Amino acid sequence: MTATLATAPEQPVERLPVPPRPRRTAGLAGAAVLVLVLVGVHVWAWIATDFSIGALVEGWSGITDFLGDAIPPDLDWAEVVQPGLKACGVTLAIGLMGTTLSIPTSLVLAVLGARPTSRNPVAYQVARAVMSFFRAVPDIVFALIFVTAVGLGPFAGVLAIICHNTGIMAKLWSESMEEIETGPIDALRIAGASSPQLAAHVVLPSVVPQLVGLLLYRFDVNVRSSLVLGLVGAGGIGFLINQSISLFAFDQMLTYILMVLVLVVVVDVASGYVRRRLAE
């Protein structure tokens, strides 16, 4: 016995109107204005900085004369190499001490300047203002100030690194604290936990790897900064570079620059290795 299935009549397919493509006139006009503004700003910067390809070409002979006086480097052990190695050690020590001694103040400012751990709006704004001040003042300006206060030498460089690094590291640490999940924080806050308890039991344990990684990165940067601080009398290899330039001993200067290159590479490789081990 066969059953006959009734088929419903086919319904005509209704064609919907195609929506018109959105006009991009406004977007193109905004992009054109942005390009014109960028071009205008760069033209102004070109003029303000006296940027000149012709001046560079004309001064190329001076560069070749300078390189001719600097090459080959002076490798005299007693007069150049040994003092340079000691100065590299001082430069490394300035960066290390400046980074380490800035940790307590950076941590306090980061806790007070992060929203998950700071309930008082006044303390939050004050902490952010202190961070901004220490970041805004260059480390070389701090070095000039401390040189007049404590005299020439690496101690002024350490103080300069502490001040400038406190603002930068506190800013980076506070941003890391603000990126964590807020669920555990809200739960403890409802239970009556104070801000120090939230920081000690939730926030800081969650961001320890990030804080250590940023600390190592800043140590790498501070070692390079301590080189520049030596140019203004804060000790280290930068002081010897400045001295050799003043005496027109460019071959000695090249030796010191090569030492700096080796020092920077060693510090960069060592800090990168530690950061990779922490990330594993």
Side-chain angles (χ1 to χ4, degrees):
M1 181 176 179
T2 60
T4 304
L5 298 177
T7 59
E10 295 183 358
Q11 298 293 332
V13 178
E14 181 180 1
R15 296 183 177 275
L16 298 177
V18 178
R21 298 182 65 180
R23 296 184 177 181
R24 300 182 179 180
T25 306
L28 293 177
V33 171
L34 179 60
V35 170
L36 290 176
V37 170
L38 290 176
V39 171
V41 169
H42 283 81
V43 169
W44 165 81
W46 183 290
I47 297 173
T49 56
D50 295 329
F51 193 90
S52 174
I53 302 297
L56 178 61
V57 173
E58 292 176 0
W60 187 254
S61 59
I63 297 177
T64 56
D65 293 339
F66 170 79
L67 293 177
D69 294 335
I71 299 174
D74 188 351
L75 300 179
D76 184 83
W77 172 258
E79 297 293 333
V80 181
V81 177
Q82 186 176 15
L85 293 176
K86 292 180 179 179
C88 284
V90 173
T91 298
L92 181 63
I94 293 173
L96 177 63
M97 291 296 292
T99 304
T100 303
L101 296 180
S102 64
I103 291 176
T105 51
S106 300
L107 187 59
V108 171
L109 287 175
V111 171
L112 293 176
R115 296 188 184 277
T117 56
S118 182
R119 296 183 182 180
N120 191 327
V122 176
Y124 175 82
Q125 294 298 334
V126 170
R128 304 296 287 194
V130 173
M131 293 182 203
S132 299
F133 170 75
F134 282 133
R135 291 198 322 272
V137 180
D139 48 11
I140 194 169
V141 175
F142 280 122
L144 291 171
I145 294 173
F146 286 119
V147 162
T148 60
V150 301
L152 298 174
F155 183 43
V158 172
L159 296 176
I161 293 292
I162 290 174
C163 291
H164 187 66
N165 190 65
T166 293
I168 295 180
M169 203 155 62
K171 171 70 172 177
L172 296 175
W173 282 0
S174 64
E175 290 178 349
S176 298
M177 295 178 187
E178 291 182 347
E179 293 175 357
I180 67 173
E181 295 292 335
T182 59
I185 297 176
D186 295 337
L188 286 181
R189 186 168 288 169
I190 293 173
S194 62
S195 295
Q197 290 174 331
L198 290 174
H201 298 288
V202 179
V203 178
L204 291 179
S206 302
V207 295
V208 165
Q210 292 89 332
L211 300 189
V212 175
L214 292 171
L215 178 64
L216 292 173
Y217 166 73
R218 285 304 306 170
F219 169 65
D220 185 9
V221 174
N222 290 334
V223 170
R224 306 181 192 195
S225 298
S226 61
L227 164 67
V228 180
L229 299 183
L231 300 177
V232 296
I237 190 69
F239 179 77
L240 294 182
I241 293 176
N242 188 30
Q243 187 179 45
S244 62
I245 293 175
S246 301
L247 298 175
F248 299 99
F250 299 125
D251 52 348
Q252 296 182 10
M253 180 207 67
L254 180 58
T255 303
Y256 298 141
I257 290 177
L258 294 176
M259 291 181 178
V260 169
L261 176 62
V262 174
L263 175 64
V264 169
V265 170
V266 170
V267 172
D268 186 33
V269 171
S271 60
Y273 172 76
V274 175
R275 285 197 297 267
R276 287 194 299 271
R277 291 299 299 270
L278 291 174
E280 293 177 356

